Amino acid sequence: MDDEVNVTYITFDGHVELQKYRHLYFVVMFVLYIIIICWNSTIVYLIVIHENLHEPMYIFIAALLINSILYSTTIYPKLLIDFLSEEQITTFPLCQFQSAVYYTMTTSEFLLLSAMAYDRYVSICKPLQYSTIMRKTTVKVCLFTAWFVPACELGISVLLYINVKICHYSMQGLFCNTSIFKLQCVPSVALSIYGVFVLVNICLLPMLFIVFTYIRILIVTNRRFKTTRTKALQTCLPHLLVLINLSGFVAYDVIVVRLESDIPKLARFVLTLQIMVYHPLLNPFIYGLKMKEISKHLKHLLFQVESH
């Protein structure tokens, strides 16, 4: 490659024995991608068509599952193409775009989970004021904020890369994530500081808000009847499970970038594939089985399909 090509293209170097297993990788990941799309879309479809699910909690769940679809679509199509290609490459601008969209979808989940936590707090702790507080306007503002704020903040990080000089053209991964930071000739102090700001602002602070909110819910419900406490825990548990999964996912992403030279290539490859599959599949599984109303409609839909 000449200098111009080197500057333009980035190579993904995280694949393991791709020449030998490329078709197996393709088939497995293609099937999983279809399952992710269908599984998430089914739950969203049920929420859209059933009037009794047109409540803030279920609207936020639908938004979270749409996020899972967009998150997967940011990664899987390019990954599937790479499996069948002789060279696993991308241009630097496209790498920036993929990374920005990927992290926009990821971080917006923290804000959506914050909105869910607030919705549960108002529903359980201030039931008489629920209809006044959680109006359609409130829900729309929460949804807009959950997508707009991360998109703006990650968009700014893309702008900060405009004047960054790239000296490394190989990325130890399967797609563009925070590993893009290591392509720089000299690490940018501005990008490092801004990265910490984004992590704190749209990951850590929402996480602390969610934990604080659920602690308040537990304190309030502990003073009430056991049946009320049980019902509250049943509706909050799925959100907590998703939060734990998402927090582990983000922690893994940060740790891998910081320690990628110390992690064996095979281990990094397997862990990355698991995260790509595990995260978007877990959300619909949790909400489809743990949320009583969604589970009821899902069973009815499956019964109708089987009867035909």
Side-chain angles (χ1 to χ4, degrees), residues 9-168:
Y9 290 96
I10 305 298
T11 301
F12 296 111
D13 192 36
H15 297 273
V16 175
E17 296 194 44
L18 184 59
Q19 297 299 325
K20 185 177 181 180
Y21 297 112
R22 65 168 69 248
H23 295 102
L24 176 62
Y25 289 153
F26 178 86
V27 171
V28 171
M29 297 307 291
F30 178 76
V31 171
L32 288 171
Y33 179 51
I34 297 300
I35 292 173
I36 288 169
I37 297 297
C38 293
W39 191 205
N40 283 277
S41 298
T42 298
I43 306 298
V44 173
Y45 169 75
L46 292 175
I47 292 172
V48 170
I49 66 170
H50 293 290
E51 291 287 339
N52 69 320
L53 298 182
H54 292 180
E55 298 177 8
M57 178 175 65
Y58 298 112
I59 293 173
F60 291 136
I61 289 173
L64 198 69
L65 300 184
I66 291 172
N67 249 27
S68 293
I69 295 173
L70 295 175
Y71 161 87
S72 300
T73 303
T74 303
I75 300 173
Y76 278 77
K78 177 64 172 75
L79 187 66
L80 292 171
I81 292 172
D82 284 344
F83 284 149
L84 299 181
S85 302
E86 290 301 318
E87 292 184 310
Q88 293 70 49
I89 59 174
T90 187
T91 63
F92 185 65
L94 285 178
C95 192
Q96 288 178 294
F97 177 75
Q98 183 185 48
S99 178
V101 175
Y102 168 72
Y103 285 111
T104 297
M105 295 300 103
T106 302
T107 53
S108 65
E109 290 201 18
F110 282 102
L111 297 180
L112 287 171
L113 288 171
S114 298
M116 289 180 181
Y118 181 67
D119 173 73
R120 290 300 84 206
Y121 170 76
V122 176
S123 175
I124 296 168
C125 302
K126 300 181 179 181
L128 298 179
Q129 303 175 47
Y130 183 80
S131 59
T132 304
I133 297 175
M134 296 304 296
R135 295 173 297 173
K136 287 185 178 180
T137 304
T138 306
V139 174
K140 290 178 181 177
V141 169
C142 288
L143 292 175
F144 177 78
T145 302
W147 280 312
F148 182 74
V149 172
C152 287
E153 294 195 359
L154 271 303
I156 292 173
S157 70
V158 172
L159 293 178
L160 290 175
Y161 267 101
I162 291 178
N163 295 321
V164 169
K165 186 177 180 182
I166 303 299
C167 291
H168 307 285

Side-chain angles (χ1 to χ4, degrees), residues 58-290:
Y58 298 112
I59 293 173
F60 291 136
I61 289 173
L64 198 69
L65 300 184
I66 291 172
N67 249 27
S68 293
I69 295 173
L70 295 175
Y71 161 87
S72 300
T73 303
T74 303
I75 300 173
Y76 278 77
K78 177 64 172 75
L79 187 66
L80 292 171
I81 292 172
D82 284 344
F83 284 149
L84 299 181
S85 302
E86 290 301 318
E87 292 184 310
Q88 293 70 49
I89 59 174
T90 187
T91 63
F92 185 65
L94 285 178
C95 192
Q96 288 178 294
F97 177 75
Q98 183 185 48
S99 178
V101 175
Y102 168 72
Y103 285 111
T104 297
M105 295 300 103
T106 302
T107 53
S108 65
E109 290 201 18
F110 282 102
L111 297 180
L112 287 171
L113 288 171
S114 298
M116 289 180 181
Y118 181 67
D119 173 73
R120 290 300 84 206
Y121 170 76
V122 176
S123 175
I124 296 168
C125 302
K126 300 181 179 181
L128 298 179
Q129 303 175 47
Y130 183 80
S131 59
T132 304
I133 297 175
M134 296 304 296
R135 295 173 297 173
K136 287 185 178 180
T137 304
T138 306
V139 174
K140 290 178 181 177
V141 169
C142 288
L143 292 175
F144 177 78
T145 302
W147 280 312
F148 182 74
V149 172
C152 287
E153 294 195 359
L154 271 303
I156 292 173
S157 70
V158 172
L159 293 178
L160 290 175
Y161 267 101
I162 291 178
N163 295 321
V164 169
K165 186 177 180 182
I166 303 299
C167 291
H168 307 285
Y169 309 103
S170 179
M171 187 178 294
Q172 295 185 16
L174 305 179
F175 61 94
C176 296
N177 53 12
T178 45
S179 294
I180 194 174
F181 185 77
K182 292 201 169 186
L183 299 178
Q184 303 171 77
C185 299
V186 179
S188 168
V189 176
L191 275 170
S192 298
I193 294 174
Y194 188 73
V196 172
F197 167 77
V198 171
L199 186 65
V200 171
N201 190 40
I202 51 181
C203 290
L204 184 59
L205 290 181
M207 190 189 306
L208 293 175
F209 172 79
I210 294 167
V211 172
F212 172 77
T213 302
Y214 283 124
I215 289 174
R216 289 288 304 157
I217 291 173
L218 288 173
I219 292 172
V220 171
T221 54
N222 194 48
R223 301 169 185 165
R224 299 180 181 177
F225 296 109
K226 184 178 179 180
T227 53
T228 304
R229 184 166 63 251
T230 302
K231 185 177 180 180
L233 291 174
Q234 285 177 342
T235 58
C236 293
L237 181 61
H239 307 320
L240 286 173
L241 291 174
V242 172
L243 175 64
I244 292 170
N245 172 56
L246 183 60
S247 301
F249 162 70
V250 172
Y252 164 81
D253 190 73
V254 173
I255 291 170
V256 164
V257 171
R258 297 303 176 192
L259 303 177
E260 66 176 13
S261 60
D262 300 325
I263 298 176
K265 187 175 182 179
L266 178 59
R268 187 171 58 248
F269 176 73
V270 172
L271 288 171
T272 302
L273 289 180
Q274 284 184 341
I275 289 295
M276 289 165 49
V277 173
Y278 178 69
H279 180 65
L281 273 181
L282 185 65
N283 289 355
F285 177 79
I286 289 175
Y287 291 119
L289 297 181
K290 294 295 183 181

